[in-house]
């Protein structure tokens, strides 16, 4: 790719740099407590130029003037896009979207002033700035690649990993914004960033002791959550760097990963800055939020976000260019044989295709990508956890609780559908081999693979944004973590490498109770962790029962499920063991969550029936018994969590 920039690309790069500078100016305004230096908008005390000597007013005015500069830049970008980039429709659309975001950002600036720099408006202002930076980067990077790119055939696994790492960094920025206080309030008791005035411990403890005062506990949870998210995102960034390093160093039978060197340079730089960012975060606390430390912290954070996103976008388009070059050279998909078969178009495979698009069939195909039955099962564990959390939460009005339930169900459905859609994309080669999955949209060629991936990624972003603004950041981040864990840890890493795939990967499906609990309470309590553990230990018996029935499919697809690698006998013994642990956890949960007699009696009956099914499975080892256990496991989980709602509604003490 040519390193020289044309006129449009120079303008796009200027917009990227100007937006980052805007973020830096904004955080200086915030850290110095100058956000209300001009209490009116768009003027400052009714004047275009503030009075000399009023530092706060000048800082706020510079922030606004720089926004005007970005406005002119994006107008020029739109005009230039229509004049020189018409061949790349996404660049034109991206430029217009950036113009809309700039206008919305200006409106948010007014709202922020009108609401006296409230935490919610400041958070929205920052999030929108990061999105604008991302859109400008997309426009710049996409314009650097050929207009005509293959619509399918590229392996996007590593760019997808980098993309999830970038989103995790974005989440860190939002959590950090929730804890930051204006400069004038640094010493106030209501400052979450200084609620624990030391680092890395919390008042000398690894796990903080939360206050009985709900207001103080909320501030403590914000600081604690921020550090936990920083740690999780740091691991994701580090693992992504290691994966890219191996991709560059090792040239195996699958060939070189397109754009890996550039991705590695960007991601490794981001990883190094992430380590510096952690030190600067500690300096914020040690200096009691001195403006220079706060400004440097967020400036580095936005730069890391930009580097990670640039790496993901560069890898994405490099992979598609590589496919185009391979096709032009008379080759097919340069990846694997199984992928070539999966990616081949229906016409290429001799399948008659109607060119009249059946919109209803297309909608059904996209719905099928989300695996609605699995989504329903995940939501079964979410609502009861929310009902129980409500019992432990003081002062939450019924109307607000009802809204949280609806919002969480919508966001959870979108996230689960996103994970399933991306899973369909990643597993399209083995889905074509397995009889049970051959009718899925991708093996059936009802949807192009890249369209399915884009659909899944769009649902991921929408679900995160929806939950962040309709519930809270903790629930939103847990949802993002569930999607990333299912896609990256289970599908990309474990599924084809170890028979323990479903044991470890089952953590993704066990997160909905935590998400529901966090949506109501804003934190994660011990009862929620036990609900997570119950679903975690329920997953292996449930899935292995199905795997026993279709073990021939997994063997044909070379997927090392336990029935394939260890046989029927060992699998049935493992099912019985996990069933015992699961039932035991339900009884411990009864005590921890202070449940009543109804739950205890129901859990004993349901647990006894599950153990009976598991023991019968171990004795008989037949496919018919496996199907019975599989179906009963669904009934068990649904009934057990329904008991939670019933017990809360009609509490009978033991």
């Amino acid at each position: 790719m040519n390193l020289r920039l044309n006129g449009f690309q120079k303008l796009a790069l200027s917009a990227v740099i100007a937006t980052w500078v805007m973020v830096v100016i904004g955080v200086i305004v915030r850290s110095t407590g100058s956000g209300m230096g001009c209490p009116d908008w768009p003027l400052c005390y009714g004047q275009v130029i503030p009075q000399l000597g009023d530092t706060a007013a000048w800082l706020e005015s510079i922030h606004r003037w720089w926004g005007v500069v970005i406005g002119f830049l994006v107008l020029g970008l739109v005009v230039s896009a229509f004049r020189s980039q018409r061949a790349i429709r996404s660049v034109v659309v991206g430029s217009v979207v950036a113009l809309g975001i700039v206008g919305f950002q200006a409106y948010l600036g007014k709202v922020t002033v009108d609401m006296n720099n409230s935490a919610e408006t400041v958070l929205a202002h920052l999030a929108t700035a990061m999105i604008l930076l991302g859109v400008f980067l997309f426009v710049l990077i996409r314009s650097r690649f050929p207009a005509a790119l293959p619509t399918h055939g590229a392996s996007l696994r590593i760019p997808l990993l980098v993309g999830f790492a970038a989103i995790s960094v974005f989440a860190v920025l939002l959590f950090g914004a929730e804890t930051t206080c204006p400069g004038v309030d640094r010493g106030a008791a209501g400052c979450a960033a200084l609620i624990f005035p030391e680092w890395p411990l919390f008042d000398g403890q690894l796990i903080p002791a939360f206050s009985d005062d709900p207001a103080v506990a909320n501030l403590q949870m914000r600081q604690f959550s921020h550090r936990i998210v920083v740690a999780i995102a740091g691991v994701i960034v580090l693992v992504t760097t290691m994966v890219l390093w191996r991709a560059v160093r090792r040239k195996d039978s699958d060939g070189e990963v397109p754009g890996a060197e550039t991705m590695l340079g960007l991601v490794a730089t981001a990883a190094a800055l992430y380590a510096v960012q952690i030190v600067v975060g500690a300096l914020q606390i040690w200096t009691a939020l001195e403006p220079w430390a706060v400004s440097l912290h967020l400036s580095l954070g936005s730069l890391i976000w930009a580097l990670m996103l640039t790496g993901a976008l560069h890898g994405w388009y490099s992979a598609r260019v590589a496919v185009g070059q391979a096709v032009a050279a008379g080759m097919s998909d340069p990846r694997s044989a199984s992928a070539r078969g999966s990616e081949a178009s229906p016409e290429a495979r001799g399948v008659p295709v109607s060119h009249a698009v059946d919109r209803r069939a297309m909608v059904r195909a996209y719905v099928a990508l989300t695996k609605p039955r699995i989504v329903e099962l995940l939501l079964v564990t979410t609502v009861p956890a929310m009902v129980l959390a409500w019992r432990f939460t003081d002062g939450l009005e019924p109307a607000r609780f009802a809204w949280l339930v609806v919002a969480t169900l919508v966001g959870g459905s979108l996230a689960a559908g996103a994970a399933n859609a991306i899973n369909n994309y990643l597993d399209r080669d083995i889905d074509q081999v397995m009889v049970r999955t051959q009718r899925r949209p991708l093996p059936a060629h009802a949807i192009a693979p890249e369209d399915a991936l884009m659909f899944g990624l769009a649902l991921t972003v929408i679900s995160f944004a929806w939950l962040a603004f309709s519930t809270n950041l903790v629930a939103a981040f847990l949802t993002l973590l569930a999607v990333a864990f299912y896609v990256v840890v289970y599908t990309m890493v474990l599924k084809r490498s170890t028979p323990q795939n479903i044991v470890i990967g089952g953590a993704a499906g066990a997160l909905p109770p935590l998400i529901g609990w966090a949506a109501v309470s804003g934190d994660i309590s011990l009862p929620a962790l036990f609900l997570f553990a119950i679903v975690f230990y329920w997953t292996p018996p449930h899935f292995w029962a199905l795997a026993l029935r279709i073990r021939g499919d997994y063997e044909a697809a070379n997927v090392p499920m336990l029935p394939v690698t260890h046989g029927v006998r060992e699998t049935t013994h493992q099912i019985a063991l996990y069933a015992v642990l699961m039932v035991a956890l339900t009884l411990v949960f009864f005590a921890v969550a202070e449940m009543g007699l109804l739950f205890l009696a129901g859990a004993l009956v349901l647990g006894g029936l599950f153990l009976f099914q598991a023991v019968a499975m171990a004795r008989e080892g037949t496919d018919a018994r496996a199907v019975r256990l599989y179906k009963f496991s669904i009934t068990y989980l649904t009934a057990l969590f329904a008991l939670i709602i019933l017990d809360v509604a009609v509490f009978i003490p033991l």
Side-chain angles (χ1 to χ4, degrees):
M1 188 170 63
N2 188 357
L3 295 179
R4 296 185 63 182
L5 299 177
N6 59 33
F8 175 83
Q9 292 160 358
K10 290 177 181 178
L11 193 59
L13 179 60
S14 298
V16 169
I17 296 172
T19 303
W20 183 79
V21 172
M22 181 75 166
V23 172
V24 174
I25 297 173
V27 71
I28 292 174
V29 170
R30 176 71 171 165
S31 63
T32 57
S34 304
M36 294 305 296
C38 298
D40 49 348
W41 191 96
L43 300 177
C44 186
Y45 291 102
Q47 301 177 353
V48 175
I49 300 177
Q51 294 182 356
L52 294 175
D54 191 341
T55 304
W58 273 96
L59 285 174
E60 175 64 13
S61 295
I62 291 171
H63 182 57
R64 296 180 188 182
W65 294 340
W66 196 256
V68 174
V69 171
I70 294 177
F72 281 112
L73 276 174
V74 74
L75 281 173
L77 195 69
V78 171
V79 173
S80 180
F82 276 101
R83 293 181 61 184
S84 65
Q85 302 295 317
R86 290 182 184 178
I88 310 178
R89 183 180 178 183
S90 59
V91 170
V92 177
V93 172
S95 301
V96 174
V97 168
L99 177 62
I101 294 175
V102 168
F104 179 69
Q105 184 75 322
Y107 168 75
L108 272 180
K110 178 184 183 303
V111 172
T112 302
V113 172
D114 291 342
M115 297 186 67
N116 195 26
N117 271 3
S118 68
E120 294 79 10
T121 56
V122 169
L123 178 62
H125 206 43
L126 174 65
T128 305
M130 293 298 105
I131 293 171
L132 178 62
L133 181 60
V135 173
F136 281 140
L137 282 170
F138 165 77
V139 169
L140 171 62
I141 294 166
R142 178 62 187 93
S143 68
R144 301 279 291 153
F145 288 88
L149 291 174
T151 58
H152 62 269
S155 176
L156 303 172
R157 298 172 72 91
I158 289 185
L160 180 62
L161 175 61
V162 179
F164 272 113
I167 295 175
S168 71
V169 171
F170 184 85
V172 170
L173 288 169
L174 298 187
F175 272 88
E178 269 206 332
T179 65
T180 304
C181 316
V184 295
D185 292 335
R186 293 200 306 252
C191 182
L194 296 178
I195 197 71
F196 295 111
E198 59 180 10
W199 190 95
L201 300 178
F202 305 91
D203 290 335
Q205 301 180 50
L206 185 61
I207 304 296
F210 293 101
S211 172
D212 293 331
D213 184 342
V216 176
N218 178 266
L219 296 173
Q220 292 174 328
M221 177 53 66
R222 288 187 184 186
Q223 180 61 267
F224 180 64
S225 299
H226 177 54
R227 297 195 198 179
I228 293 297
V229 172
V230 166
I232 294 173
V235 171
I236 294 173
V237 170
L238 178 60
V239 170
T240 303
T241 306
M242 294 172 63
V243 169
L244 282 168
W245 181 79
R246 291 185 62 187
V248 170
R249 289 289 300 269
R250 187 181 63 187
K251 304 252 180 101
D252 53 23
S253 58
D254 285 337
E256 185 177 359
V257 176
E261 293 86 354
T262 301
M263 277 193 288
L264 176 60
L266 291 165
V267 174
T269 302
L273 289 177
Y274 200 93
V276 175
Q277 175 81 324
I278 292 174
V279 175
V280 176
L283 288 173
Q284 281 191 119
I285 296 175
W286 294 338
T287 63
L289 297 182
E290 281 295 324
W292 68 267
V294 176
S295 301
L296 181 59
H297 194 54
L298 186 54
S299 301
L300 285 175
S302 58
L303 183 57
I304 294 168
W305 153 246
L307 289 169
M308 295 298 297
L309 184 60
T310 301
L313 291 170
H314 178 82
W316 184 288
Y317 288 110
S318 294
R320 293 177 64 179
V321 166
V323 171
Q325 292 172 343
V327 171
M331 300 167 56
S332 54
D333 187 346
R335 309 303 301 173
S336 65
S338 59
R340 289 198 297 268
S342 173
E343 299 297 343
S345 66
E347 294 90 339
R349 296 170 59 83
V351 179
V353 177
S354 170
H355 293 283
V357 177
D358 186 339
R359 293 186 178 180
R360 290 185 179 179
M362 183 64 69
V363 170
R364 288 195 296 269
Y366 274 103
V367 171
L369 274 180
T370 66
K371 302 179 185 177
R373 291 184 179 180
I374 296 178
V375 172
E376 292 172 5
L377 189 60
L378 293 175
L379 297 182
V380 161
T381 64
T382 303
V383 177
M386 299 183 75
V387 172
L388 186 60
W390 189 24
R391 193 181 79 178
F392 286 93
T393 304
D394 296 327
L396 184 61
E397 296 294 331
R400 173 61 180 168
F401 173 73
W403 162 249
L404 288 175
V405 170
V406 173
T408 305
L409 289 180
V410 171
S413 298
L414 292 173
N420 290 328
I422 299 173
N423 172 266
N424 269 278
Y425 168 79
L426 294 171
D427 279 350
R428 63 197 184 280
D429 55 337
I430 61 174
D431 281 348
Q432 185 171 297
V433 176
M434 297 171 63
V435 175
R436 183 176 68 96
T437 57
Q438 286 178 350
R439 294 184 179 180
R440 287 179 177 174
L442 294 188
H445 303 290
I447 298 174
E450 275 71 25
D451 290 344
L453 178 58
M454 289 300 296
F455 177 65
L457 291 175
L459 288 182
T460 301
V461 173
I462 293 170
S463 65
F464 177 80
W466 169 259
L467 287 170
F469 288 101
S470 64
T471 60
N472 55 63
L473 276 177
V474 177
F477 181 75
L478 287 172
T479 303
L480 177 63
L481 184 63
V483 175
F485 200 92
Y486 182 71
V487 169
V488 178
V489 178
Y490 172 65
T491 304
M492 295 178 64
V493 178
L494 298 174
K495 186 171 184 177
R496 308 190 194 197
S497 61
T498 171
Q500 294 299 307
N501 44 25
I502 197 61
V503 176
I504 304 170
L511 280 170
L514 295 184
I515 294 168
W517 188 286
V520 172
S521 66
D523 60 17
I524 299 173
S525 301
L526 190 59
L529 292 174
F530 270 91
L531 289 176
F532 168 87
I534 289 169
V535 181
F536 181 82
Y537 279 93
W538 167 87
T539 302
H542 165 73
F543 197 88
W544 282 335
L546 174 64
L548 283 168
R549 174 68 180 81
I550 59 171
R551 57 188 178 277
D553 269 359
Y554 286 120
E555 189 171 7
N558 198 29
V559 177
M561 287 296 174
L562 192 65
V564 175
T565 60
H566 289 71
V568 175
R569 184 177 178 82
E570 176 62 23
T571 302
T572 57
H573 287 169
Q574 289 292 322
I575 287 175
L577 174 61
Y578 275 90
V580 170
L581 294 172
M582 177 193 66
V583 173
L585 280 170
T586 63
L587 301 181
V588 178
F589 170 75
F590 159 77
V592 168
E594 302 175 9
M595 304 300 291
L597 184 59
L598 281 176
F599 179 84
L600 177 61
L604 287 172
V605 172
L606 289 171
L609 292 173
F610 200 106
L611 291 175
F612 171 79
Q613 291 280 355
V615 171
M617 180 72 242
R619 288 178 177 175
E620 299 176 19
T622 63
D623 289 352
R625 179 57 72 177
V627 171
R628 289 182 192 175
L629 177 58
Y630 173 74
K631 291 181 178 179
F632 178 76
S633 66
I634 298 174
T635 303
Y636 171 85
L637 191 69
T638 304
L640 183 73
F641 276 77
L643 279 172
I644 295 175
I645 297 178
L646 182 61
D647 193 272
V648 171
V650 187
F651 181 74
I652 302 175
L654 184 63

